[in-house]
Structure formats: structure tokens, C-alpha cells
């Protein structure tokens, strides 16, 4: 039943966004009564938070799988491939993505977003640690991870919401170049 409610919540967020989502719409989509819905979730925000947490978990799993598969590849290959998986995972219905980035942090004081960034940051740190000899000698890995995670997150979300006239592959190539250039030693 919880899975049905969360699937319905995701569908409603994708169609109507946060503002258009309601417990009655979610219940109708799940084909249950509003009273049954309230047995599992006390209000709309609890459903939205659960949907967003599940979405974040799935996205982290996909990024982790890609990084793990390509861990032995050269940096440009692993970075490009990982960014492609992230872009694919974030390329959801714009109303849903807006709910993730605009309303999710407000609903839980940013806890789920910070957890997502932390989990992605741990992956990035593990990778950068293995690449340490080829990085700028003055680079703090903790600072680099914070900067890279937020830079990629922001640019990817803006690309998907703004839909600029930049082909997807060009965007990925530019973002890969930007990420790699940040930590390369200056000649």
C-alpha cells in the first residue's frame, strides 16, 4: 500500500508539481480512499518527502553503479559517464524536478538534499583519493568535493529546467571539461 501511495505521489508531482499535488489527488491516483491514505501518511508533505527520499536513493544507486563499473577507466571516461547517469536521473518531468529542488529542502530543512550531496560527495572523495598524484598539489580534497558536487548539481539542474539551446552531449562534454580542469595542475 505504501508503495502504491508513493508511486501515485510521484506521478502527481510529475504532472502537477508540488503546488498542484494534494492528498485527494494522490489517493485517487493510488485508487484508495483519502482515509486509507491518512493511515500511512499524516499529510501531503510526508508523502512528498518520502517520494523525494526514494528518488534520491535511486539516483545515488545509479551514480554509484556507474562509477563502480568504470572505476579503472581514465578520468575523462569515468567523469563523463558518471555525469551522463546523473543527467539522465535528473531528467524527469520539470514539475517533479522543481519539487525536488525548490520544495524538498523547505520541507525538511534541506536534510534529504544534504544527505544526497553527502553520499555523492563520498563517492567523489573516494575517486579523487585514488587520483591524488595527478591533482593540483594545493587542492584540499574536502574543498574540491564540496565545490564539484554543488557545481555539477547546480549546472545540471539549471540545464534541465532552463533547456538552453545546447545539445545534451555538448553540455556533458563542457561539464566534464569544467570538472576535470578544476583539479588539474596548472602548467
Amino acid at each position: 500500500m505504501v508503495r502504491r501511495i508513493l508511486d501515485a505521489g510521484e506521478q502527481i508531482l510529475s504532472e502537477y508539481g508540488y503546488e498542484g499535488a494534494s492528498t485527494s489527488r494522490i489517493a485517487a491516483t493510488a485508487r484508495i480512499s483519502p482515509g486509507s491514505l491518512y493511515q500511512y501518511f499524516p499529510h501531503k508533505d510526508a508523502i512528498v518527502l518520502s517520494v523525494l527520499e526514494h528518488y534520491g536513493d535511486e539516483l545515488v544507486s545509479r551514480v554509484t553503479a556507474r562509477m563502480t563499473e568504470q572505476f579503472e577507466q581514465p578520468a575523462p571516461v569515468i567523469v563523463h559517464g558518471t555525469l551522463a547517469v546523473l543527467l539522465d536521473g535528473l531528467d524527469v518531468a520539470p514539475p517533479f524536478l522543481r519539487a525536488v529542488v525548490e520544495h524538498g529542502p523547505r520541507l525538511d530543512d534541506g536534510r534529504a538534499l544534504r544527505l544526497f550531496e553527502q553520499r555523492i560527495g563520498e563517492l567523489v572523495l573516494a575517486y579523487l583519493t585514488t587520483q591524488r598524484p595527478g591533482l593540483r598539489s594545493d587542492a584540499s580534497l574536502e574543498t574540491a568535493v564540496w565545490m564539484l558536487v554543488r557545481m555539477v548539481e547546480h549546472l545540471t539542474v539549471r540545464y534541465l529546467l532552463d533547456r538552453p539551446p545546447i545539445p545534451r552531449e555538448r553540455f556533458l562534454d563542457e561539464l566534464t571539461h569544467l570538472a576535470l580542469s578544476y583539479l588539474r595542475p596548472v602548467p
Side-chain angles (χ1 to χ4, degrees):
M1 182 63 73
V2 169
R3 185 74 255 151
R4 276 177 54 192
I5 294 169
L6 294 179
D7 288 344
E10 184 175 339
Q11 182 179 339
I12 294 300
L13 285 171
S14 295
E15 290 178 30
Y16 301 99
Y18 176 82
E19 290 84 5
S22 66
T23 53
S24 59
R25 274 190 171 147
I26 294 169
T29 301
R31 295 186 308 278
I32 61 173
S33 71
S36 294
L37 182 141
Y38 288 121
Q39 291 177 354
Y40 298 93
F41 295 95
H43 46 72
K44 173 179 105 169
D45 288 351
I47 298 168
V48 171
L49 276 173
S50 291
V51 167
L52 298 184
E53 287 171 0
H54 180 262
Y55 171 71
D57 290 345
E58 290 290 316
L59 191 51
V60 168
S61 293
R62 286 189 226 157
V63 170
T64 301
R66 176 53 66 95
M67 284 187 82
T68 304
E69 290 167 6
Q70 296 185 328
F71 211 74
E72 299 300 320
Q73 297 293 320
V77 173
I78 191 171
V79 171
H80 190 277
T82 302
L83 293 176
V85 168
L86 182 66
L87 182 63
D88 289 345
L90 289 171
D91 195 4
V92 293
F96 184 84
L97 185 56
R98 278 189 175 74
V100 169
V101 298
E102 294 173 4
H103 297 285
R106 181 185 56 75
L107 296 176
D108 69 350
D109 288 331
R111 189 187 89 249
L113 178 60
R114 284 191 304 277
L115 181 60
F116 173 79
E117 291 168 341
Q118 177 186 348
R119 291 170 64 195
I120 295 294
E122 289 167 358
L123 292 171
V124 173
L125 180 60
Y127 179 71
L128 291 179
T129 300
T130 68
Q131 303 297 307
R132 189 65 174 134
L135 305 179
R136 282 187 358 235
S137 60
D138 67 333
S140 155
L141 291 186
E142 291 76 22
T143 300
V145 166
W146 190 92
M147 298 285 288
L148 286 168
V149 168
R150 279 129 192 104
M151 175 193 70
V152 167
E153 175 186 22
H154 180 76
L155 289 173
T156 303
V157 167
R158 292 303 342 146
Y159 175 77
L160 292 169
L161 290 177
D162 296 349
R163 300 289 179 180
I166 303 169
R168 181 184 186 280
E169 274 308 307
R170 179 67 184 200
F171 172 76
L172 283 172
D173 290 345
E174 293 294 327
L175 191 56
T176 299
H177 178 73
L178 190 62
L180 291 170
S181 296
Y182 171 61
L183 289 172
R184 283 199 177 121
V186 178

